[in-house]
Amino acid sequence: MPSMSRRTLFQAAAGVAGVAAVGSLSACTGSTRAFTLVGPGSPAVAAAERARRVPGRRVVSARLTPRPVTVDLGGRTLDTWAYGEQVPGPLLRARAGDLLRVTVDNQLPVATSVHWHGLALRNDMDGVPHLTQDPIPAGGSFDYAFTAPDPGTYFYHPHSGVQLDRGLYGVLVVDDPAEPGSYDDEWIVVLDDWVDGTGRTPDQVLAAFQKTSASSGDPGGSMGGMDHGSMGGSMGGMDHGSGMGGMGEGMQSPLLGGAGDVDYPYYLINGRTPSAPHTFTGRPGQRVRIRFVNAGSDTAFRVAVGGHRMTVSHCDGFPVMPVSTDALLIGMGERVDVTVTLADGVFPLVAEAEGKTGRALAVIRTSSGRPPTPDVAVPELGRRTLLGTDLAGAASVRLDRRGVDRRHELALGGSMMPYRWTVNGEAFPDATPLPVSAGERVRLRFVNQTMMFHPMHLHGHTFGLVDGGGRKDTVIVRPMQALEVDLDADNPGQWAVHCHNIYHAETGMMTTLSYRSGG
Ligand code: C2O
Ligand code: CU
């Protein structure tokens, strides 16, 4: 996400009394305002972390080394950046309450950061450059250390530029020591849209969006003058889905409206193309917990398992009222856990790029037989399809009833021409923070004023969907719709709120939930 030198916001935060120094960005001498920002280095952040300590916790140590690598995606070998020799990066696993210590050794040629997506962790470990820490320079390292308070399926990725759209992502599972675990086996299924190393990097994709919009005088946003060929012919979606810039024909989804800006050459499950899919081997009758993670940058996936129904148990880490479904639609940044009882045979697990052309494939095998072909028909994909917003929260995780102390509206806007996405008309970092005070019940109202869907993600908290929905940290807001969520302001600091379409976030669709004290 924002990668330019965006010191303004951070320095503004650091300049207010009460914000302790972070890295080299020391606090300036205090100004006297009616309130103080609760910065990442403030005592309130340390106190919140102390309150997460549980007796007998373990320390889980790991090292991540983001670096340029050559990876084999199955039939296609290419250069990218990753956290290891393979994509996804190493699986990190802890129990709720454990202390994670992760050293990030940056061997990339550029600065990076690591964000622990979905975790309600201490603010100074949240990994947002210029907001919660200094960027980790090329050749530098950073020690992350934080308590993982809640069980669930999470993932980690850079919060720097469009690095997420490289091979830089991995899964973090936080196990629940109290969970019965009524399943026999587990399968982690990571979904991704892939362009890096195919002739363009994600940075070039972004630059093409920005350049085309800057050089075009076409007010209708039709992109008539764009030379698709020079960009590998894979960016056919540039004129689609924008609210302000005319609606395109392609990349439309019946469930999501405008479905994306980038038409990717590959879609992957666990780093594999459909021509050499990842295979899960089990026995008939086994109950398998599948943990879906959408690590894509611009693609929602519609997933189904041929010949099976899925029982959804968790969304974004938190339990939901169990519900059975044929298919799921998972936005960027969302995670869904399901349980499947395996039938006898060989079955496709398909993730279709929603509103786009292409799919990812994996295979479940419980007996001998021919593997499915990449174009295998999966009728479940056309049946009942649930979104995260369709799931009801389990009673144990519903927010208690109380009055709302503070409301914020986030109007989601933007255009393809110029390529710029906004919250309340402003593009981060030139965005007005949304103030909150510790202890408040806060209602956020997302109002999508565009013709594209936006998966909106809040750091450091989960929210409850107003109207009985589940606890989530990333929620799809459909075109021209409003959606309200409630949260308890119980984790002090400065927290990013943004669209998890990485190209939208990077060009401005981001703001901050900003804890203040006093005043
Ligand atoms: Cu996974 Cu700020 O994001
Ligand atoms: Cu968006």
Side-chain angles (χ1 to χ4, degrees), residues 261 297-298 332 412-413 419 421-422 448 450 452-456 477 498-505 509:
D261 297 338
S297 289
D298 180 74
M332 300 84 85
L412 311 176
Y419 193 80
W421 298 91
T422 55
N448 187 346
T450 77
M452 283 190 82
F453 85 100
H454 302 286
M456 297 304 297
V477 188
H498 61 90
C499 179
H500 221 278
N501 180 312
I502 212 70
Y503 296 92
H504 294 184
M509 193 176 269

Side-chain angles (χ1 to χ4, degrees), residues 253-457:
S253 150
L255 286 175
L256 298 179
D261 297 338
V262 184
D263 192 6
Y264 287 84
Y266 296 109
Y267 298 96
L268 310 179
I269 288 178
N270 295 347
R272 307 294 286 174
T273 68
S275 53
H278 180 105
T279 298
F280 178 89
T281 305
R283 292 186 309 281
Q286 256 185 334
R287 286 167 52 78
V288 177
R289 178 170 184 170
I290 304 177
R291 297 179 186 263
F292 289 106
V293 177
N294 184 348
S297 289
D298 180 74
T299 307
F301 288 96
R302 189 185 292 233
V303 301
V305 182
H308 292 74
R309 284 174 68 82
M310 304 179 282
T311 302
V312 183
S313 63
H314 298 74
C315 189
D316 293 357
F318 282 76
V320 299
M321 299 292 284
V323 58
S324 165
T325 190
D326 295 298
L328 288 163
L329 187 59
I330 306 176
M332 300 84 85
E334 289 189 291
R335 293 89 60 210
V336 184
D337 295 10
V338 304
T339 305
V340 167
T341 302
L342 298 185
D344 191 351
V346 185
F347 305 95
L349 185 159
V350 169
E352 276 190 339
E354 180 72 9
K356 302 185 177 184
T357 307
R359 51 160 55 172
L361 174 74
V363 175
I364 296 177
R365 173 182 288 285
T366 63
S367 70
S368 60
R370 297 175 68 86
T373 54
D375 62 349
V376 59
V378 178
E380 285 80 2
L381 287 166
R383 297 192 191 140
R384 183 176 195 222
T385 301
L386 293 182
L387 278 72
T389 43
D390 294 327
L391 304 169
S396 58
V397 299
R398 273 189 215 139
L399 289 175
D400 55 350
R401 289 186 163 277
R402 61 175 276 199
V404 173
D405 302 304
R406 195 188 290 263
R407 294 166 194 268
H408 286 300
E409 181 160 307
L410 293 86
L412 311 176
S415 68
M416 299 296 286
M417 196 70 78
Y419 193 80
R420 179 175 181 266
W421 298 91
T422 55
V423 177
N424 295 333
E426 298 172 323
F428 192 84
D430 301 314
T432 307
L434 308 171
V436 298
S437 297
E440 290 177 336
R441 169 66 55 88
V442 180
R443 177 162 295 179
L444 303 181
R445 179 178 169 83
F446 299 106
V447 183
N448 187 346
Q449 300 176 338
T450 77
M451 297 309 291
M452 283 190 82
F453 85 100
H454 302 286
M456 297 304 297
H457 174 52

